[in-house]
Amino acid sequence: MLLPIEQRIAAELGVQPRQVSAAVQLLDEGATVPFVARYRKEVTGGLDDTQLRNLEERLGYLRELEDRRAAVIASIAEQGKLDAPLREAIENAETKQRLEDLYLPFKQKRRTKAQIAREAGIEPLANALLANPSLVPETEAGAYLNAEAGFADTRAVLDGARQILMERFAEDAELIGKLREYLLDHGVVASTVIAEKENDPAAAKFRDWFDFRESIETVPSHRALALFRGRNEGFLRLQLGLDSDPTDGSAPGPNPCEGRIAGHFGIRDEGRGADAWLRETVRWAWNVKISLHLELELLGQLREKAEEEAIRVFGRNLKDLLLAAPAGPRATLGLDPGLRTGVKVAVVDQTGKLLDTGVIYPHEPRRDWDGSLHALAKMCEKHNVSLIAIGNGTASRETDKLAADLIKLRPELHMTKIVVSEAGASVYSASELAAKEFPDLDVSLRGAVSIARRLQDPLAELVKIDPKSIGVGQYQHDVNQ
């Protein structure tokens, strides 16, 4: 029998049950983890914020597990199928996954072929063939003909018996647990290009995944998310295979998962009457039911794990960006680089207030280098500029050289140039917030203002932008928003 929730959490965290009980009571009363960690140390016996976060997360999981356990027991009991061994197995289930495996045979489901066969009285035949493989299936099936129920010949009867055994194999909790563990150790994520999409220009970005295999345990999050994006966009087909599958086009050997199903139910090929039929039943159970169920489940887990890692990376990078050291309250020239459309220019004062704007064309195709230097020098002198912020987009390197020439041209202004991330500047410039802030300013010039301000104070400027548009993560548009 499992320990009470608070004792289990105490054992996992390596603390006293009374500390967990005190923390749980505070959390249930509405206190937050930061509040408890800071102001209620004497009540919890000194639990720190990390322990409290883990406690809160585990408490939620275990309470959900207990609620689900009660619902499962009630549902099976209502069906009159709750015997003592099953109740014990359910009460000792330590994870939601194990609990759902045990509940699977008793879930209310749509009317299956196996259920129809049972109603026609074919289950005794399935049991007899599994228990005594010496029987000849075609001979035994003759006693179960039932034309009214749709079983008019021995072929239909044997198909019904096979459906019953397939469902039984697919709903055996112990077997499914073993197969899941085997696939986690030996499963490979395999991706292939969808044939008719191979020459589609949009598929080129997924070319590395047209014929790809990697262990499901080792595939990194960024690679997993690339594969899922390729599948979602209709260019890749993803499957869960085995590391023993041949990759050279040769015939596959015995399937180890089918071997485990057969072994679990004592099915052996000894040339007896029902051996071939049972072996085929095992193959069907794996290919039609079990492998698809586990593939869906394990690929879903892979996606969740990849998303969690991507969100963690995004959060870490965003924190570094938002907390970058501000240059401080100094008049700043913002340059949003561009070639054909020119370099957009904006000057803000030490408080971030917009003072001046303009557009210069130092690069291709106009190449007005000297005219651009003259216009910038005049603007910097007029507003006493001391910082130059250069966006790191297209033509950034060339614009950085322009800023260097400007500093050489006017050394008495003591200006400093810095290249800053312009990620999200274009999104901000067309946003409703920017339109309210600068209703009379051209959209293209608002980006230059943002670039100047994010050098002065990154946090104050970047919080105006939708996080996924800042571009510091991996596949941040694909993950759970």
Side-chain angles (χ1 to χ4, degrees):
M1 189 72 183
L2 292 175
L3 292 170
I5 287 178
E6 291 171 7
Q7 289 184 32
R8 287 162 68 188
I9 294 175
E12 290 171 11
L13 295 181
V15 299
Q16 294 298 317
R18 57 181 173 74
Q19 292 177 277
V20 175
S21 299
V24 169
Q25 185 177 345
L26 288 167
L27 292 171
D28 286 345
E29 289 170 356
T32 63
V33 166
F35 175 84
V36 176
R38 186 160 185 175
Y39 300 113
R40 292 294 181 268
K41 281 189 175 182
E42 75 286 354
V43 179
T44 65
L47 293 180
D48 62 30
D49 58 320
T50 302
Q51 289 173 313
L52 286 165
R53 272 193 298 274
N54 292 336
L55 184 153
E56 184 181 43
E57 183 181 332
R58 194 72 178 128
L59 179 66
Y61 179 90
L62 292 176
R63 282 181 169 172
E64 287 174 10
L65 177 63
E66 291 308 316
D67 289 344
R68 182 61 177 156
R69 195 193 312 277
V72 166
I73 288 174
S75 174
I76 299 175
E78 194 177 308
Q79 298 172 43
K81 297 176 181 176
L82 186 66
D83 55 24
L86 178 58
R87 177 185 281 275
E88 185 181 356
I90 291 172
E91 288 177 346
N92 287 321
E94 294 188 12
T95 64
K96 292 178 183 177
Q97 193 172 66
R98 169 69 175 161
L99 187 60
E100 295 305 326
D101 285 349
L102 290 166
Y103 183 46
L104 188 60
F106 308 97
K107 265 186 178 174
Q108 298 301 314
K109 47 176 107 60
R110 60 183 177 78
R111 205 154 166 264
T112 62
K113 290 180 180 178
Q115 194 173 339
I116 294 167
R118 282 194 203 93
E119 291 167 0
I122 294 173
E123 189 164 25
L125 172 64
N127 294 338
L129 293 174
L130 183 61
N132 184 7
S134 300
L135 299 174
V136 178
E138 290 75 13
T139 304
E140 299 298 319
Y144 295 89
L145 297 176
N146 185 343
E148 289 182 9
F151 298 92
D153 54 39
T154 56
R155 184 175 176 179
V157 170
L158 287 174
D159 183 57
R162 175 166 285 154
Q163 293 293 337
I164 290 169
L165 290 182
M166 284 167 57
E167 189 171 278
R168 188 179 303 171
F169 296 169
E171 293 179 349
D172 187 288
E174 299 298 328
L175 174 64
I176 296 301
K178 290 176 186 174
L179 291 173
R180 184 184 290 115
E181 285 179 20
Y182 184 82
L183 286 175
L184 284 171
D185 290 336
H186 299 277
V188 294
V189 180
S191 74
T192 52
V193 63
I194 292 175
E196 57 271 22
K197 297 289 185 75
E198 187 169 2
N199 297 317
D200 188 323
K205 60 187 174 184
F206 300 109
R207 193 163 298 281
D208 289 346
W209 322 116
F210 280 6
D211 184 15
F212 174 81
R213 288 165 60 85
E214 185 167 357
S215 165
I216 192 169
E217 278 289 85
T218 61
V219 60
S221 63
H222 63 276
R223 202 135 61 222
L225 290 171
L227 293 170
F228 286 119
R229 178 179 282 186
R231 183 179 71 176
N232 293 343
E233 293 187 13
F235 299 112
L236 299 178
R237 180 178 288 107
L238 288 192
Q239 289 178 301
L240 184 62
L242 293 168
D243 52 15
S244 56
D245 293 341
T247 57
D248 56 3
S250 60
N255 186 306
C257 292
E258 291 176 20
R260 277 165 171 73
I261 299 170
H264 187 78
F265 288 97
I267 296 170
R268 297 181 301 279
D269 192 355
E270 297 176 356
R272 294 166 296 183
D275 281 347
W277 184 85
L278 287 169
R279 193 174 66 247
E280 188 70 3
T281 301
V282 166
R283 191 175 68 81
W284 274 66
W286 170 249
N287 289 324
V288 176
K289 284 186 175 289
I290 302 174
S291 66
L292 298 178
H293 166 72
L294 289 176
E295 177 180 276
L296 195 66
E297 179 188 309
L298 294 180
L299 288 181
Q301 286 179 6
L302 176 64
R303 179 171 193 114
E304 282 179 23
K305 196 164 74 172
E307 286 196 2
E308 284 174 10
E309 177 59 21
I311 291 167
R312 198 157 40 244
V313 169
F314 179 73
R316 190 167 61 240
N317 293 348
L318 185 61
K319 180 180 178 182
D320 290 344
L321 185 63
L322 292 178
L323 298 183
R330 298 158 69 183
T332 304
L333 173 74
L335 300 176
D336 186 0
L339 294 171
R340 183 181 56 81
T341 55
V343 177
K344 276 67 69 181
V345 183
V347 179
V348 297
D349 70 9
Q350 58 266 36
T351 66
K353 179 184 174 185
L354 180 62
L355 299 176
D356 208 344
T357 61
V359 182
I360 55 175
Y361 298 89
H363 313 309
E364 297 289 349
R366 298 198 194 180
R367 294 194 290 181
D368 182 17
W369 194 267
D370 292 338
S372 299
L373 276 177
H374 176 73
L376 291 178
K378 191 173 175 183
M379 202 179 278
C380 291
E381 184 178 6
K382 177 181 177 183
H383 301 294
N384 197 24
V385 167
S386 61
L387 289 174
I388 303 172
I390 306 152
N392 65 347
T394 305
S396 173
R397 192 177 301 168
E398 296 88 340
T399 306
D400 184 50
K401 186 176 183 304
L402 179 74
D405 286 359
L406 175 63
I407 291 169
K408 285 180 194 171
L409 183 67
R410 302 304 299 268
E412 73 279 6
L413 295 177
H414 304 291
M415 292 184 290
T416 304
K417 66 179 178 69
I418 301 171
V419 175
V420 300
S421 168
E422 65 173 39
S426 58
V427 173
Y428 161 75
S429 64
S431 69
E432 188 178 348
L433 183 62
K436 286 180 180 176
E437 203 171 359
F438 303 110
D440 302 321
L441 191 62
D442 185 82
V443 171
S444 61
L445 292 168
R446 293 173 187 163
V449 179
S450 180
I451 287 168
R453 285 176 169 178
R454 62 177 64 185
L455 176 58
Q456 287 182 323
D457 189 347
L459 181 59
E461 191 61 26
L462 289 169
V463 292
K464 301 174 184 177
I465 301 167
D466 184 1
K468 69 184 177 189
S469 300
I470 295 178
V472 293
Q474 49 186 21
Y475 299 94
Q476 63 263 27
H477 292 267
D478 294 358
V479 301
N480 186 315
Q481 293 303 303

